[in-house]
Amino acid sequence: MSKKLTYSIGELAREFDVTTRTIRFYEDQGLVTPQRRGQTRVYTPADRVTLKLILRGKRLGFSLAESKELIRMYQPQGDNRSQLLALQGKIHQRRAQLEQQLRDIQVMQRELDDAEQRCLDALHDLETQ
């Protein structure tokens, strides 16, 4: 099976389940740079990979700026050590944020449980009067 040399905006939108508007937004941000054939945008395999990385970063909770930073660090002929270390650092940061959010949610759940129990106790007291 041969690899495609170019992609239309519609093909990429369908493949990644995003709107064409989303892809145009990433183009406006300078993340993908399609060629033009008249009014038609023509995306390369590199644009496709970039789009895939942006969407993966989004799923992991990275901001667009963070994804952009990581993508720009990529060096096709290099060992990409600095990119990998930066990614690892961002993963650790994101994990720490999620762990803090989980602790905050657990505290909130306990507070809700306590408030609900106070309501139940007060209702019970009203019924027994």
Side-chain angles (χ1 to χ4, degrees), residues 112-125:
L112 288 169
D113 289 345
D114 292 346
E116 183 178 36
Q117 189 59 54
R118 286 191 301 276
C119 287
L120 290 170
D121 292 346
L123 287 169
H124 181 269
D125 291 346

Side-chain angles (χ1 to χ4, degrees), residues 34-102:
Q35 301 166 358
R36 297 281 185 157
R37 288 194 192 132
Q39 293 295 318
T40 304
R41 290 171 168 85
V42 179
Y43 295 86
T44 65
D47 290 322
R48 182 184 167 279
V49 169
T50 298
L51 183 57
K52 185 176 184 176
L53 293 173
I54 292 166
L55 296 171
R56 182 177 295 156
K58 185 177 176 182
R59 281 193 311 275
L60 293 174
F62 296 158
S63 70
L64 188 55
E66 289 172 316
S67 290
K68 189 176 190 176
E69 175 189 340
L70 290 168
I71 290 165
R72 296 208 190 264
M73 293 176 79
Y74 177 68
Q75 299 297 323
Q77 274 66 45
D79 69 3
N80 291 300
R81 180 179 302 276
S82 61
Q83 181 198 37
L84 294 170
L85 289 171
L87 175 58
Q88 186 179 31
K90 293 197 182 303
I91 289 169
H92 289 172
Q93 288 173 352
R94 184 65 183 138
R95 184 174 284 126
Q97 289 171 338
L98 289 171
E99 288 169 353
Q100 182 59 54
Q101 287 175 336
L102 181 57

